[in-house]
Amino acid sequence: MLRIMGSIENVLFSRVDDSSLAQQILDEPTFAIGCGGIADSVSEAKPILGELAVLPGLAAVLPGDGQYFAGTTSLTCQTWWTPFQLTVAGLNIARIGKFGIEANELVSARDIWKRAIATLPTEEQQAPLFSMIWSGKISSLRGSFLKKPPLLSLAPENGKPIGDVSNYADWFGIDPDGGSEGINVLVTGAAYNPESPDLVKLYGLDKRIFYRHPSAPAQADPLMIHQHAVLFKNKVKFSWEGALLDAVLSCFSDAEIIDVKHVLDDSTFSFYGGVVKAEWEIEPID
């Protein structure tokens, strides 16, 4: 199950104000992505809203002001505020498919999703949603980030989304190719198949999660992907053979974290592995 708080439209139209910020305490292992800030109050959170990644053992944000902030590895003392949050529920206990490669073949982030989904039983490959946690070694990273927090007070004067061609350059930054080769990442995300025969079961809630990123290349297949990555400065050993929570927590025992990014589909990786799960339900939690 995917649990959703808020709506991606609050971000895309820069509509965030005090009433659309929700507070959470990280008191249990969670996989989540979205737009948020780690702070003690609404007033402190608003100026630093940005790309958010939450995993067991880590809460981290790349704020829209361009300054990186990472939470400690304690899940019991971090308070975070978010206008939009997508949480993967039950991934640590559900039946999941494991996949991986240790060759020098370069694979795009999009193809990693497609190959992972292909490892699921045939009947699950037509699910409307998929969740995935995966690790990889970067060959070429195209990461996206917000240049400023999507606050109502900063909304574009033309009333169009921040991703519109007329506003895009003011709001979105894209990492240039190069500079991240060989760096390890841990990625959490969800994908949406708008051609699934079970789409009606989502009751339109998928529109609150997924959008086509303005910099994403055109694709022949319909899969829409929303994923955030945590980048590590040092070499991190990933293993997906044991319990998922243990595997993820072990990643952060000696990790030096340098960045959080929204990963675009055409980023490429020379090594990858992880777990994938078919999903049929979205639960609003706000």
Side-chain angles (χ1 to χ4, degrees), residues 3 8 35 37 76 93 104 113 118 124 137-138 145-147 185 204-205 225-226 241 259 273:
R3 292 176 177 160
I8 192 67
C35 179
T76 59
I93 58 174
N104 290 323
W113 275 88
E124 295 185 9
K137 181 178 291 185
I138 296 171
F145 56 91
L146 288 169
K147 290 184 176 180
V185 295
L205 289 171
I225 301 166
H226 194 154
E241 295 306 314
D259 224 336

Side-chain angles (χ1 to χ4, degrees), residues 254-265:
D254 298 311
E256 296 179 54
I257 299 161
I258 58 174
D259 224 336
V260 175
K261 296 292 183 186
H262 178 123
V263 179
L264 296 178
D265 299 2

Side-chain angles (χ1 to χ4, degrees), residues 145-169:
F145 56 91
L146 288 169
K147 290 184 176 180
K148 49 188 173 182
L151 303 177
L152 182 61
S153 59
L154 299 177
E157 294 182 359
N158 59 15
K160 296 181 179 180
I162 62 177
D164 185 83
V165 63
S166 60
N167 299 322
Y168 175 76

Side-chain angles (χ1 to χ4, degrees), residues 27-42:
D27 56 359
E28 62 181 24
T30 299
F31 296 95
I33 60 174
C35 179
I38 300 173
D40 292 326
S41 66
V42 168

Side-chain angles (χ1 to χ4, degrees), residues 91 95-103 105 107-121 130-137 185-189 191 227 238-242 244 247 269-278:
L91 190 60
R95 181 170 64 85
I96 50 183
K98 297 182 180 180
F99 61 92
I101 184 172
E102 294 193 37
E105 177 188 15
V107 184
S108 71
R110 186 175 194 82
D111 282 342
I112 289 175
W113 275 88
K114 292 166 65 176
R115 293 185 182 192
I117 291 169
T119 67
L120 294 170
F130 303 92
S131 57
M132 188 160 74
I133 310 295
W134 60 279
S135 59
K137 181 178 291 185
V185 295
L186 188 61
V187 185
T188 182
Q227 60 186 341
F238 298 104
S239 173
W240 300 104
E241 295 306 314
L244 177 59
F269 302 83
S270 59
F271 164 85
Y272 64 89
V275 293
V276 63
K277 175 170 166 273

Side-chain angles (χ1 to χ4, degrees), residues 53-249:
V54 179
L55 299 108
L58 175 79
V61 173
L62 179 67
D65 64 2
Q67 301 298 313
Y68 175 74
F69 173 82
T72 69
T73 55
S74 169
L75 286 173
T76 59
C77 65
Q78 290 297 326
T79 302
W80 54 298
W81 302 79
T82 176
F84 169 67
Q85 168 209 337
L86 175 64
T87 299
V88 180
L91 190 60
N92 56 317
I93 58 174
R95 181 170 64 85
I96 50 183
K98 297 182 180 180
F99 61 92
I101 184 172
E102 294 193 37
N104 290 323
E105 177 188 15
L106 298 184
V107 184
S108 71
R110 186 175 194 82
D111 282 342
I112 289 175
W113 275 88
K114 292 166 65 176
R115 293 185 182 192
I117 291 169
T119 67
L120 294 170
T122 303
E123 64 275 13
E124 295 185 9
Q125 294 179 25
Q126 295 301 311
L129 300 165
F130 303 92
S131 57
M132 188 160 74
I133 310 295
W134 60 279
S135 59
K137 181 178 291 185
I138 296 171
S139 174
S140 176
L141 177 70
R142 284 238 301 156
S144 172
F145 56 91
L146 288 169
K147 290 184 176 180
K148 49 188 173 182
L151 303 177
L152 182 61
S153 59
L154 299 177
E157 294 182 359
N158 59 15
K160 296 181 179 180
I162 62 177
D164 185 83
V165 63
S166 60
N167 299 322
Y168 175 76
D170 291 333
W171 283 88
F172 285 93
I174 303 296
D175 292 322
D177 289 338
S180 298
E181 295 87 347
I183 289 178
N184 293 120
V185 295
L186 188 61
V187 185
T188 182
Y192 163 55
N193 177 11
E195 296 184 357
S196 169
D198 292 324
L199 202 64
V200 66
K201 296 180 181 179
L202 302 182
Y203 302 106
L205 289 171
D206 47 294
K207 304 299 188 295
R208 292 173 54 182
I209 301 175
F210 292 96
Y211 71 104
R212 292 210 176 272
H213 194 285
S215 290
Q219 301 291 342
D221 64 90
L223 199 65
M224 298 174 69
I225 301 166
H226 194 154
Q227 60 186 341
H228 290 190
V230 178
L231 281 66
F232 300 93
K233 182 178 181 180
N234 57 327
K235 186 175 182 179
V236 178
K237 178 67 174 178
F238 298 104
S239 173
W240 300 104
E241 295 306 314
L244 177 59
L245 290 181
D246 292 341
V248 174
L249 284 167

